[in-house]
Amino acid sequence: MSLDPQLVIMAKQPLIGRVKTRLARDVGGPEALRFFRSASESLVRRVGQDPRWRTAIAVSPDRAVHERGIWPGGIPCIPQGEGDLGARMGRLFRDLPPGPVVIIGADIPGIERHHIAAAFAALGNHDAVIGPADDGGYWLVGLRRRPRVREIFDGVRWSSAETLDDTLKNIRERNMSVAMVATLADIDEGRDLVKWRRG
């Protein structure tokens, strides 16, 4: 039975109107799509082939798993399934083979291999790990999944300033230990994109 660390990159089918919709309101659909494609392709190149963990891309909608030319070869694609973000991530945590699992978004440009390695290291002695985003959400969530997988997304207010706090509350109410890794920027609005491009 494998206990390999498993990295899951959550990705939407790259279409105008499906990805970075809040960003698109500020910069337009084509520019938001261009950012998503560039950020996600670069991220998969940086972290997807690291031998320290196995990587899968969880795609939405499910039928996009079979579309050629969107996702890089050599990395398996799996469907996210139905429901809100918590339902989809919860299903991944429950259904993947045994071992620690870390889930990240495909469109966070600051993620590097050392961030992923730090998250898996934290799961060596914590039940959960979170990488906060500077907008009140988070760019990474991981579970050790031993001795069992616990539900941590009940009642989370997604895409809000309360997303991180709601998730941490759930984790602590279940008497789980949690580690925090680096805070990174999520590019959700035009001003975020400007700030990120300025470096």
Side-chain angles (χ1 to χ4, degrees):
M1 183 178 295
S2 171
L3 292 177
D4 290 343
Q6 298 163 87
L7 174 67
V8 178
I9 302 172
M10 301 282 279
K12 293 180 180 177
Q13 186 180 26
L15 296 173
I16 291 176
R18 185 176 290 279
V19 299
K20 306 308 292 183
T21 52
R22 280 192 287 164
L23 179 62
R25 287 196 290 267
D26 292 341
V27 303
E31 182 62 22
L33 178 62
R34 191 175 304 117
F35 166 78
F36 176 84
R37 278 186 176 277
S38 172
S40 59
E41 288 169 5
S42 177
L43 172 68
V44 171
R45 279 197 307 273
R46 287 196 308 278
V47 306
Q49 303 286 354
D50 196 294
R52 291 173 289 181
W53 51 78
R54 288 186 290 123
T55 302
I57 303 172
V59 302
S60 173
D62 292 355
R63 65 179 179 275
V65 166
H66 306 292
E67 295 193 14
R68 298 181 181 275
I70 296 179
W71 320 111
I75 298 177
C77 290
I78 57 177
Q80 289 186 17
E82 299 302 315
D84 69 9
L85 181 58
R88 288 177 277 136
M89 291 196 297
R91 189 178 304 110
L92 290 166
F93 279 132
R94 289 189 303 273
D95 293 351
L96 285 168
V101 170
V102 163
I103 298 174
I104 60 174
D107 55 355
I108 311 294
I111 301 175
E112 301 289 348
R113 288 190 296 270
H114 68 87
H115 294 120
I116 308 302
F120 282 121
L123 289 176
N125 52 12
H126 292 84
D127 298 311
V129 62
I130 287 186
D134 54 11
D135 61 359
Y138 45 90
W139 58 272
L140 175 149
V141 60
L143 292 177
R144 183 166 47 180
R145 305 196 306 157
R146 292 196 317 265
R148 64 187 186 280
V149 179
R150 286 177 273 190
E151 172 57 58
I152 62 169
F153 301 121
D154 291 336
V156 171
R157 291 167 282 183
W158 299 107
S159 300
S160 77
E162 290 75 38
T163 300
L164 174 61
D165 289 342
D166 289 349
T167 306
L168 287 173
K169 179 172 178 282
N170 286 338
I171 290 170
R172 291 173 178 141
E173 284 178 350
R174 287 151 180 78
N175 296 314
M176 298 166 66
S177 59
V178 59
M180 308 294 275
V181 292
T183 300
L184 298 178
D186 192 357
I187 314 299
D188 278 332
E189 299 178 356
R191 62 188 176 187
D192 302 328
L193 187 59
V194 170
K195 184 178 177 182
W196 172 68
R197 283 178 169 162
R198 286 177 179 161

